[in-house]
Amino acid sequence: MLREWLQHLMTPCPPYLRRLGYLKQLIGMQARHRRCREAWAPHLQHTRDMILAAADACSSHDKVVILGSGLLLDVPVEELSERFKTVELVDILHMPQVRHAVSGLANVRLLTRDITGVVEPLSRGDIPQPDIADLGVNGASLVVSCNILSQLGILPEQLSPGISDRLVAAHLDALAGLGGTVCLITETSHRLMEGETEVEKSAPLDGNDIPDSLKMRRQCWDWDFAPAPERHPRYDLIHTVEGFIRSGNAET
Ligand SMILES: C[S@@+](CC[C@H](N)C(=O)[O-])C[C@H]1O[C@@H](n2cnc3c(N)ncnc32)[C@H](O)[C@@H]1O
């Protein structure tokens, strides 16, 4: 706790993102990864494998864009930098250790961007209407939505109840409209389990369905997100993760 508190104090971050909890979320994810490293390993490897399979499916290798690069836990950044001319890692906030990790990779760029476009206006008290999101991915041979979809609405929802659902829908519409290869990896259900017994189930995509046009080359796996007693003394929190690769004909 003290370590995370100090990290929160010392890490450079725009004040509005700090206030809304984006820095706290990233620090929390890093701490949980330290505690649940073994349980998370298969999910992280599945995600990396899926991204590399999507890279194999591309007809050109000019640029790959990773949306939600986060701490690079599930992003095979070195392999991508060998396979593509340019790698763009997009996140609302890049932590210092991520900047350090990619500093030796000349063709890797960190782009700090809110891919919903609503976070800064919300922080000023405006209530923006999420439209089809501008993902800012022009010229990409491959766009990866990397375990970010279910996260997009969590903090905005606190300021504008009901917005989460529309942010998820806007992101899916934007991905479906891209011309290049798209790889979508996302949680699609959360289950509290006591051994083999399901105690509770919830839907992290707010009732949104993934468009049929993206639902290709599906893979599905469980992410042992919070094994007991991480979140609950007896229950494990398991996320179902689904990944899709839709090959494209053109660059986005
Ligand atoms: C669960 S993490 C994804 C895991 C990440 N790929 C990794 O390997 O660490 C979700 C990421 O989405 C980012 N994020 C959340 N809302 C965002 C937004 N509106 N725009 C851009 N990034 C956002 C968070 O900062 C976080 O890094």
Side-chain angles (χ1 to χ4, degrees):
M1 282 304 272
L2 179 64
R3 175 177 179 169
E4 282 102 61
W5 181 79
L6 280 175
Q7 196 179 1
H8 195 260
L9 208 63
M10 308 293 285
T11 304
C13 175
Y16 75 100
L17 293 181
R18 187 185 292 275
R19 203 171 58 246
L20 293 183
Y22 285 90
L23 175 60
K24 192 172 170 200
Q25 243 186 10
L26 275 167
I27 291 172
M29 179 164 76
Q30 190 179 12
R32 175 159 290 165
H33 176 245
R34 272 197 301 270
R35 294 192 298 272
C36 305
R37 189 179 292 272
E38 218 175 299
W40 283 24
H43 158 67
L44 300 178
Q45 192 57 46
H46 273 300
T47 301
R48 287 186 212 110
D49 291 346
M50 188 114 203
I51 295 173
L52 292 177
D56 288 342
C58 289
S59 48
S60 69
H61 291 82
D62 290 325
K63 180 162 81 172
V64 53
V65 181
I66 307 288
L67 303 173
S69 49
L71 302 173
L72 301 179
L73 299 175
D74 54 18
V75 181
V77 69
E78 287 181 15
E79 290 94 327
L80 292 175
S81 95
E82 284 161 14
R83 293 194 197 186
F84 288 85
K85 285 187 198 139
T86 305
V87 179
E88 288 185 352
L89 303 176
V90 178
D91 206 284
I92 199 163
L93 185 61
H94 293 288
M95 296 293 275
Q97 72 266 29
V98 170
R99 295 187 182 282
H100 178 70
V102 302
S103 58
L105 300 170
N107 62 341
V108 176
R109 293 199 293 165
L110 294 176
L111 302 183
T112 303
R113 188 189 306 142
D114 163 21
I115 62 165
T116 66
V118 303
V119 176
E120 199 271 337
L122 276 177
S123 78
R124 282 188 274 109
D126 288 352
I127 305 291
Q129 293 302 316
D131 209 340
I132 290 193
D134 175 11
L135 298 177
V137 295
N138 288 347
S141 320
L142 171 62
V143 175
V144 181
S145 173
C146 188
N147 289 310
I148 188 177
L149 182 61
S150 65
Q151 305 297 303
L152 291 175
I154 293 177
L155 296 173
E157 183 75 12
Q158 294 170 10
L159 298 175
S160 178
I163 201 169
S164 176
D165 169 23
R166 287 176 294 145
L167 292 177
V168 171
H171 186 74
L172 288 170
D173 283 351
L175 290 179
L178 298 177
T181 298
V182 174
C183 175
L184 166 64
I185 303 170
T186 181
E187 296 150 34
T188 52
S189 89
H190 293 171
R191 285 169 292 137
L192 269 186
M193 304 290 294
E194 185 168 25
E196 295 302 307
T197 308
E198 187 178 296
V199 178
E200 198 179 294
K201 189 172 182 178
S202 59
L205 300 185
D206 296 312
N208 282 286
D209 289 326
I210 293 168
D212 285 343
S213 63
L214 291 175
K215 280 186 169 172
M216 296 191 189
R217 294 184 55 183
R218 175 180 179 272
Q219 290 191 31
C220 184
W221 61 89
D222 279 347
W223 176 9
D224 194 0
F225 181 75
E230 170 72 19
R231 182 66 78 83
H232 187 280
R234 293 201 316 279
Y235 304 153
D236 300 324
L237 176 56
I238 310 279
H239 292 179
T240 304
V241 180
E242 291 184 62
F244 304 91
I245 299 171
R246 195 225 48 205
S247 296
N249 297 318
E251 287 177 355
T252 292

